[in-house]
Amino acid sequence: MELIPSSRIRRSPYFDSTIAAGCTAWTVYNKMLMPLSYGDLKAEYDRLINAVAMWDVAGERQVQIQGADAFACAQYLSSRDLSKMVEGQGYYVAMCDHDGRILNDPVLLKLSGNRYWFSIADNDMLLWAKAAAAEKGFDVAVSEPDVSPLAIQGPKAEDLVAELFGDHVRSLRYFWFTETSLDDIPIVVCRSGWSKQGGFELFLQDGTRGVELWNRVAAAGEKYGIGPGAPNHVERIESGLLSYGGDNTPDSNPYETLMGRYVTPHIEADFIGKTALAKVAAAGPERQMVGLFIHDETADAWPLPQRTPIWQGDRQVGTLSAVVWSHRLEKKIGMGQVLSTVIGTGEAVEVEGPDGRSSATITTLPFI
Ligand code: THG
């Protein structure tokens, strides 16, 4: 299979660096090429668990809401109460449609100057936000700014980022950030990233300086054992992090995607999907995301180009979205959505692989 690069498939500011670093596998995320591997997934995993890795996640584009009504507009687009959020803080939020179905699970940053950034997963939220803002008559500008996150993840990320930006970054709490610079490259440094190994994301604010930033981080990171990597499919399943669009079915609500505790349908302010979400909150969600221990000793992960069924006897009780070999647990594990009626830990089910069914046991997330 060959993917022909054209201007319709965007390139990140770090693209030339990732090619030079030997990227071998890509996905397309928000219409931008995003590296998935540099050819040795186990080494990339080990680096993330034991040292530090740098990931081009520029495909996590920002939807900026700026203007006098920025707060009202950001709130209208978010299923979570934003009233206590302050400048310099980030929140994990669900964006839902009018029926309470999840459309995205961004990290939301509140910046200075009446600005918010929705740091989005793979879906066209810029169009959604523009339409909603215009229909509601909010006094805001909705745009995609020149911002490209570079993730620095792993137990040595803090030492590296402190060396680059100063010790003040050590006191940043989770999802908090500071607007700063490195060699006059404008950067927002945020304690965030799609792993549970600790780390930061550097939101580069000048797309012409991606290679420069990459090289600066790579050079400073050498003594910490830094290397290139990508959002790690094994670690994120061990850690129970949601992959929007992969794990959830298109009709899932946030209670069914591990985001229930961030949804606030009881607040006074209006937001899209509020009435529908209040109903789900009252009735309880039909499905839940769970972990699965898969009793199949071969170490290879099944490729899952699509979600596959989870069975209990002849009845389909869910969908399996990911299967990997956990290097730390030395077990085959997966993530899926199952009916709330069968959710109990230890419940036996069967999952469907390429060679038929395997028995599996339901467990809670995260695995580690
Ligand atoms: N960083 C940035 N933008 C992003 C992502 C990111 N946009 C797309 C995607 N990732 C958004 N999805 C997630 C999913 C989970 C987390 C962050 C972004 C996450 N979750 C923790 C958890 O679930 O345990 C913490 C949640 C919390 O405590 O609030 O970190 O990675 N810039």
Side-chain angles (χ1 to χ4, degrees):
M1 199 175 84
E2 192 184 356
L3 185 67
I4 308 295
S6 71
S7 57
R8 211 179 300 126
I9 300 175
R10 302 190 285 179
R11 292 181 181 193
S12 118
Y14 313 112
F15 180 77
D16 291 344
S17 300
T18 59
I19 291 284
C23 182
T24 56
W26 307 82
T27 189
V28 177
Y29 198 88
N30 287 319
K31 304 185 179 71
M32 184 174 280
L33 285 166
M34 187 189 271
L36 284 189
S37 176
Y38 292 78
D40 187 344
L41 282 170
K42 180 60 167 58
E44 291 163 36
Y45 174 89
D46 290 342
R47 213 180 271 142
L48 170 62
I49 303 296
N50 301 315
V52 55
M54 54 195 293
W55 307 347
D56 169 4
V57 288
E60 294 165 354
R61 305 309 296 166
Q62 314 304 301
V63 174
Q64 175 171 286
I65 314 286
Q66 179 169 28
D69 291 336
F71 165 69
C73 182
Q75 179 63 79
Y76 186 61
L77 293 164
S78 305
S79 311
R80 176 171 179 174
D81 181 8
L82 306 183
S83 62
K84 295 187 182 66
M85 194 178 190
V86 300
E87 276 177 23
Q89 193 175 16
Y91 268 13
Y92 186 38
V93 304
M95 301 174 86
C96 292
D97 71 11
H98 298 79
D99 297 315
R101 300 181 187 112
I102 184 163
L103 295 176
N104 213 285
D105 70 328
V107 178
L108 174 64
L109 281 67
K110 179 170 180 167
L111 296 112
S112 58
N114 269 331
R115 269 183 312 152
Y116 288 83
W117 288 348
F118 286 95
S119 183
I120 59 170
D122 184 28
N123 212 351
D124 294 314
M125 302 318 292
L126 180 62
L127 305 181
W128 178 258
K130 280 189 177 185
E135 292 287 319
K136 290 291 283 184
F138 288 130
D139 179 9
V140 290
V142 179
S143 63
E144 186 189 281
D146 177 5
V147 175
S148 301
L150 178 68
I152 316 289
Q153 299 288 294
K156 301 199 174 142
E158 183 171 312
D159 287 342
L160 169 57
V161 174
E163 187 174 314
L164 287 166
F165 292 92
D167 275 332
H168 60 99
V169 299
R170 294 186 192 275
S171 57
L172 284 173
R173 282 177 280 156
Y174 205 70
F175 286 144
W176 288 68
F177 62 88
T178 168
E179 299 179 54
T180 177
S181 63
L182 182 68
D183 305 339
D184 73 282
I185 309 173
I187 293 168
V188 168
V189 178
C190 184
R191 191 186 285 276
S192 57
W194 205 56
S195 87
K196 284 281 185 179
Q197 305 314 308
F200 295 81
E201 288 175 305
L202 314 184
F203 292 71
L204 167 68
Q205 296 189 82
D206 179 349
T208 66
R209 305 187 74 177
V211 171
E212 206 182 322
L213 176 61
W214 178 283
N215 289 340
R216 189 78 161 76
V217 172
E222 214 168 307
K223 68 171 186 270
Y224 302 103
I226 202 168
N232 191 282
H233 198 45
V234 174
E235 192 277 343
R236 78 97 181 168
I237 291 162
E238 292 172 339
S239 300
L241 293 177
L242 176 72
S243 179
Y244 174 81
D247 294 322
N248 59 295
T249 55
D251 63 344
S252 297
N253 62 60
Y255 296 97
E256 299 172 333
T257 64
L258 302 170
M259 296 190 77
R261 65 199 163 110
Y262 307 119
V263 181
T264 56
H266 53 273
I267 63 171
E268 190 141 336
D270 192 25
F271 62 80
I272 301 176
K274 186 169 126 172
T275 310
L277 289 166
K279 279 187 194 147
V280 180
E286 258 173 65
R287 297 167 294 189
Q288 300 271 309
M289 294 282 326
V290 294
L292 294 133
F293 288 113
I294 297 168
H295 312 306
D296 161 358
E297 297 317 315
T298 56
D300 293 337
W302 307 331
L304 278 184
Q306 291 162 49
R307 289 178 288 275
T308 61
I310 299 175
W311 302 96
Q312 226 171 23
D314 291 335
R315 178 170 171 243
Q316 186 179 347
V317 294
T319 52
L320 180 72
S321 52
V323 177
V324 293
W325 179 257
S326 166
H327 305 297
R328 282 179 290 173
L329 297 174
E330 301 193 320
K331 283 191 169 99
K332 187 173 272 191
I333 59 172
M335 258 170 88
Q337 256 184 341
V338 296
L339 293 173
S340 302
T341 48
V342 300
I343 193 179
T345 298
E347 190 81 23
V349 292
E350 287 183 311
V351 295
E352 193 147 320
D355 306 318
R357 296 187 186 189
S358 282
S359 67
T361 310
I362 290 176
T363 188
T364 49
L365 291 167
F367 286 93
I368 299 177

